[in-house]
Amino acid sequence: YGSEKDKRNLKKYADEFKENLEEPTPMAQTNALSKLRSDLTKVKPELFKPLNDFSIGKTTKTFGNVAYESYKKFKDKSPIISLENAPAPMNAFSRGKDIKEVVKGAREQFKKRAMAEGMSENQAEKQAEKMIGVTWDVGHINQLKKFGFKDEDIIKETEEVAPYLKHIH
């Protein structure tokens, strides 16, 4: 669950510990354990991820993969995948910035897969933009007014997703 840097450091700490244990005296082994314990306090693996971050990560990958599999099967006749903002009380994907992040991530996932199978970066980017976008549900976004948002706040939320719009209802 750690970063790549943490993983490299853990390998280094393990190697140093093994090397330090080679000296058979009890004091040397105590020092080796003490150093290892100190080194391990420097590693901070991410054991828990905020739900919103986890949801966005999994959703972007899923929709990017769905779009790419659809493209492989139907090519230029592939359906558009248009992600809708959730009703306002829900935490994930009800705000403009969240749905924008999902679309951007899904497009990147599509692009990564397409390029891995030989599509040019430019073509992959164009196809991802064509296939993956937003359905902006104005009823859902206006529910934010129940939570103190004003008309200008709703407009800002809409401006976040405007470049990604495929459909409004």
Side-chain angles (χ1 to χ4, degrees):
Y1 298 105
S3 68
E4 289 306 313
K5 181 181 175 189
D6 284 344
K7 291 175 187 178
R8 285 191 304 274
N9 283 340
L10 284 172
K11 171 82 171 98
K12 181 180 109 180
Y13 301 153
D15 292 343
E16 288 173 0
F17 179 66
K18 286 178 195 173
E19 188 179 304
N20 291 337
L21 278 182
E22 289 176 2
E23 193 174 328
T25 67
M27 183 54 96
Q29 291 178 348
T30 299
N31 289 340
L33 280 170
S34 179
K35 182 178 180 334
L36 178 63
R37 188 175 63 83
S38 174
D39 287 342
L40 288 176
T41 64
K42 301 171 191 170
V43 178
K44 306 282 187 220
E46 181 180 59
L47 298 178
F48 301 101
K49 191 174 234 178
L51 180 59
N52 213 37
D53 294 348
F54 177 79
S55 299
I56 288 173
K58 290 294 184 184
T59 303
T60 60
K61 189 171 185 176
T62 299
F63 281 108
N65 287 337
V66 166
Y68 185 70
E69 291 299 323
S70 174
Y71 178 77
K72 278 179 33 178
K73 186 172 182 178
F74 299 108
K75 300 290 182 221
D76 288 331
K77 295 181 181 183
S78 298
I80 291 173
I81 297 172
S82 194
L83 302 155
E84 183 175 326
N85 53 307
M90 300 180 90
N91 195 8
F93 320 128
S94 58
R95 303 278 308 270
K97 70 179 182 66
D98 294 334
I99 200 80
K100 176 178 88 173
E101 290 305 311
V102 171
V103 169
K104 286 172 58 178
R107 287 178 177 180
E108 278 302 309
Q109 177 69 17
F110 177 97
K111 192 170 119 178
K112 182 174 92 177
R113 294 235 4 236
M115 289 171 56
E117 293 194 26
M119 190 182 285
S120 74
E121 183 175 2
N122 189 39
Q123 184 185 7
E125 203 167 284
K126 285 181 181 177
Q127 196 61 44
E129 286 177 17
K130 176 184 170 189
M131 290 183 65
I132 305 168
V134 172
T135 291
W136 196 236
D137 188 315
V138 295
H140 289 171
I141 198 63
N142 273 295
Q143 289 178 5
L144 287 173
K145 290 180 180 178
K146 294 178 190 175
F147 302 97
F149 283 63
K150 306 221 178 308
D151 285 342
E152 53 269 15
D153 300 321
I154 302 301
I155 291 168
K156 285 179 185 170
E157 294 292 323
T158 303
E159 287 170 345
E160 285 274 349
V161 298
Y164 307 95
L165 283 177
K166 298 289 183 191
H167 181 73
I168 297 174
H169 78 100

